[in-house]
Amino acid sequence: MENTGNIGFEETLWKSADKLRGSMDASEYKHVVLGLIFLKYISDKFETKYKELVAEGEGFEEDRDEYEAENIFWVPKEARWTFIMDNAKDVKIGQYIDDAMILIEKENTSLKGVLDKRYARPEIDKRRLGELIDLISTIKLHDSGEKDLLGRVYEYFLGQFASVEGKGGGEFYTPTSVVKTLVEMIEPYQGRVYDPCCGSGGMFVQSEKFVEDHQGKIENLSIYGQEMNATTWKLCKMNLAIRGLDANLGSHHDDTFHNDLHKTLKADFILANPPFNISDWGGGQLTDDVRWKYGIPPTGNANYAWLQHMVYHLAPNGSAGIVLANGSLSSNTSNEGEIRKNLLEADLVDAIVALPDKLFYSTGIPVSLWILNRNKADNPGFRSRYHEVLFLDARQLGEMIDRRHKVLTAAEVARIAKTYHQWRKIGGAYEDVKGFSKAAKLAEIKEHEYVLTPGRYVGIEDAIDDGIPFDEKMENLTAELAELFAKSRHLEDEIRKNLGGIGYEF
């Protein structure tokens, strides 16, 4: 079955690389590996162009303008992978890699302050580092036939590190099938895409893939993001750089609530997976903030601060897809219920999707998708959904990919997105499906005290009638049960008899 968790050679590469980790923590090893993969990729891409220029025979292979014209990073000789590979067994290999990173940043201003220079540190085993270089050297990360080869490796490695690290690693990684569901639902074809807690950039990557899959032009998307964690901000910069995506992530990492780097931005699309139920977000210093139009969010939980921040940054016809803990659907703590009521009365909530468990590496907390829309009444191509919300209960979906994790399959992602699209478009063939979907009017939501848990609205799926009368079923079941009881008594007698034969009676 096709699913969004499918992988290829990257699994073999991961297993081989992970064997070399030794005593190094995954959080440290993550940056060692991803930094080397990034270095290998930009060097491979440079070498591909270099060979093309050599073949042309006009002597332009060392002319940096030839590379910049095609958005290829200029890689100085001492930073090229061939130099790193040739010195993999040298005791100074760590210093050579750090020097290479410094040179690349110096020659490519967009990478300034982004690349890690940690390889010369004494705690990194230089023998294992050399073996890791040998391993990565076996994979060509750029060729003309596979545009997103490194993207596949990078995305897979990010997911694997999130799995290994648990909560700490998962903070910057949203599972691909969850991101894909959001992107397929709100369809960011063109315009400004914003993520105020962008992590390693997965929302942007999936937006790019969506545009390409629908024969659009990625240059029609403008990407804006912000990230508070310094190392994750660097990961995001690298993740977008390997795909040639130009993004405004601010000149540094920063806290979105306390220093919004995109204060005047009105985005056409917002995609976000903010940290769940964060309690130490400094809300007490922001009680008079202009963003809290629908109520002051509690200082002990940032969920409704994130929701209002995103509403504030939506353009007049903008839409948003946000991952939030299920508690946000029903909580009445410290003004949350009032804010939720105000968002509903203002007709900003378009749809709610309850997701299955085990999707996330970082948490077992049940989560849902909030789909917000600034204009539900008069948006071209869509019917008016005035004071109406679509509820989708997808908790029964998902396919296990290992003992602890699920993914939404491609077919399941398509089902969720198609249901939403059919509901919102003019002339759409939407119908409520008991146990899965329900279009509810605000009056009904009000009867439920503005609680948005989808299970309250969609009901329970009807059991399939097999045509066997109830009395007949009960007769069959009781007969089967009587037979099992008889077998149980027979086994008990046999055990007693055998124990008695060896002198143990009871």
Side-chain angles (χ1 to χ4, degrees):
M1 180 184 292
E2 181 192 2
N3 66 55
T4 47
N6 283 346
I7 46 125
F9 74 90
E10 50 267 60
E11 182 178 24
T12 302
L13 182 59
W14 163 262
K15 286 179 178 175
S16 300
D18 198 42
K19 284 179 184 175
L20 302 175
R21 181 147 54 101
S23 60
M24 197 181 299
D25 288 340
S27 56
E28 173 82 5
Y29 189 62
K30 170 179 65 196
H31 298 289
V32 170
V33 174
L34 293 176
L36 283 177
I37 288 174
F38 181 79
L39 179 60
K40 174 71 161 64
Y41 169 75
I42 62 173
S43 186
D44 279 3
K45 192 171 184 181
F46 178 89
E47 289 291 341
T48 300
K49 182 63 180 175
Y50 187 91
K51 287 173 183 174
E52 286 175 9
L53 293 170
V54 169
E56 289 171 9
E58 296 182 17
F60 291 129
E61 58 268 20
E62 292 291 345
D63 184 348
R64 67 182 300 152
D65 291 341
E66 294 287 335
Y67 299 88
E68 290 178 355
E70 294 187 26
N71 226 5
I72 297 171
F73 292 115
W74 173 258
V75 184
K77 286 182 180 178
E78 296 82 2
R80 294 173 195 171
W81 192 260
T82 48
F83 177 79
I84 301 298
M85 185 172 63
D86 290 344
N87 290 281
K89 300 299 186 286
D90 194 307
V91 292
K92 294 187 290 185
I93 182 58
Q95 190 59 56
Y96 291 147
I97 297 170
D98 284 351
D99 291 345
M101 298 295 193
I102 292 166
L103 278 171
I104 289 169
E105 283 194 356
K106 184 179 177 184
E107 297 290 342
N108 302 277
T109 54
S110 65
L111 295 177
K112 187 172 170 133
V114 171
L115 305 184
D116 263 304
K117 302 99 178 167
R118 64 177 67 211
Y119 296 89
R121 284 156 58 167
E123 56 265 37
I124 294 180
D125 185 311
K126 301 307 181 286
R127 179 183 62 80
R128 283 196 171 99
L129 181 58
E131 290 174 5
L132 185 60
I133 291 165
D134 289 343
L135 173 65
I136 294 173
S137 297
T138 65
I139 305 292
K140 185 169 176 60
L141 290 173
H142 179 267
D143 62 45
S144 54
E146 169 89 59
K147 177 180 180 290
D148 197 32
L149 194 63
L150 176 62
R152 282 172 50 196
V153 174
Y154 217 77
E155 192 169 353
Y156 183 70
F157 269 47
L158 283 171
Q160 289 301 106
F161 277 120
S163 181
V164 170
E165 292 177 74
K167 185 179 186 303
E171 285 174 358
F172 66 83
Y173 184 77
T174 309
T176 304
S177 66
V178 176
V179 182
K180 194 166 187 179
T181 303
L182 282 176
V183 171
E184 291 288 336
M185 287 184 78
I186 73 170
E187 300 182 302
Y189 282 112
Q190 59 182 10
R192 291 151 299 193
V193 178
Y194 172 53
D195 184 347
C197 41
C198 60
S200 54
M203 300 290 184
F204 304 137
V205 171
Q206 285 298 330
S207 296
E208 178 209 23
K209 289 180 181 176
F210 175 84
V211 170
E212 290 180 345
D213 289 346
H214 293 80
Q215 289 75 52
K217 295 181 179 177
I218 192 62
E219 54 265 31
N220 290 337
L221 278 186
S222 300
I223 295 172
Y224 298 85
Q226 185 161 341
E227 172 55 42
M228 184 169 72
N229 182 284
T231 55
T232 308
W233 180 82
K234 291 178 182 180
L235 273 180
C236 186
K237 292 278 281 187
M238 288 193 286
N239 201 11
L240 299 182
I242 63 179
R243 292 172 167 89
L245 290 176
D246 188 25
N248 181 349
L249 304 182
S251 58
H252 49 82
H253 65 284
D254 217 323
D255 185 315
T256 296
F257 289 133
H258 294 270
N259 187 20
D260 187 353
L261 299 177
H262 305 289
K263 277 187 177 142
T264 60
L265 173 67
K266 296 298 178 184
D268 301 294
F269 304 98
I270 295 177
L271 290 155
N273 174 26
F276 303 147
N277 303 321
I278 188 168
S279 59
D280 55 348
W281 65 284
Q285 303 163 38
L286 298 170
T287 51
D288 296 325
D289 199 283
V290 67
R291 291 169 288 187
W292 314 150
K293 181 178 178 181
Y294 302 95
I296 299 171
T299 56
N301 193 314
N303 288 344
Y304 277 85
W306 284 116
L307 279 170
Q308 291 194 84
H309 172 86
M310 292 180 223
V311 168
Y312 177 80
H313 277 291
L314 273 181
N317 287 328
S319 58
I322 305 152
V323 185
L324 279 179
N326 277 1
S328 64
L329 302 174
S330 57
S331 173
N332 287 308
T333 306
S334 306
N335 210 35
E336 287 182 329
E338 187 66 22
I339 300 170
R340 185 169 58 254
K341 171 188 170 183
N342 293 338
L343 290 171
L344 285 159
E345 295 282 358
D347 215 20
L348 290 164
V349 182
D350 210 18
I352 300 289
V353 185
L355 292 179
D357 61 0
K358 298 184 175 70
L359 290 175
F360 283 78
Y361 297 107
S362 53
T363 180
I365 295 173
V367 301
S368 294
L369 307 181
W370 287 64
I371 306 298
L372 307 179
N373 201 303
R374 269 278 192 193
N375 184 2
K376 291 167 58 180
D378 188 28
N379 219 327
F382 305 138
R383 70 176 184 87
S384 173
R385 287 101 60 211
Y386 178 70
H387 278 177
E388 185 179 322
V389 176
L390 177 67
F391 292 96
L392 296 172
D393 191 342
R395 289 177 297 169
Q396 303 308 312
L397 303 184
E399 180 180 273
M400 297 299 293
I401 53 170
D402 60 39
R403 288 182 301 171
R404 292 180 298 160
H405 301 121
K406 282 182 185 174
V407 296
L408 292 167
T409 68
E412 290 168 339
V413 170
R415 181 188 179 193
I416 293 168
K418 183 179 179 181
T419 303
Y420 173 61
H421 296 159
Q422 290 293 339
W423 170 75
R424 69 176 180 169
K425 79 177 185 179
I426 295 171
Y430 170 79
E431 290 182 3
D432 290 344
V433 176
K434 202 167 182 183
F436 178 67
S437 66
K438 170 72 185 291
K441 295 292 187 180
L442 183 62
E444 182 180 354
I445 297 170
K446 189 174 180 180
E447 288 176 8
H448 287 279
E449 299 179 321
Y450 300 97
V451 169
L452 296 179
T453 307
R456 287 202 176 196
Y457 301 92
V458 305
I460 299 170
E461 184 179 4
D462 290 331
I464 297 172
D465 186 1
D466 55 12
I468 302 172
F470 176 76
D471 289 343
E472 186 179 335
K473 280 184 185 176
M474 286 305 294
E475 282 182 23
N476 291 337
L477 285 171
T478 52
E480 187 178 340
L481 194 57
E483 186 180 338
L484 290 171
F485 282 155
K487 283 182 180 176
S488 173
R489 284 192 294 271
H490 174 71
L491 287 171
E492 185 180 332
D493 290 341
E494 285 292 313
I495 291 169
R496 286 178 183 274
K497 182 179 174 183
N498 291 335
L499 285 172
I502 59 173
Y504 291 95
E505 294 199 24
F506 68 98

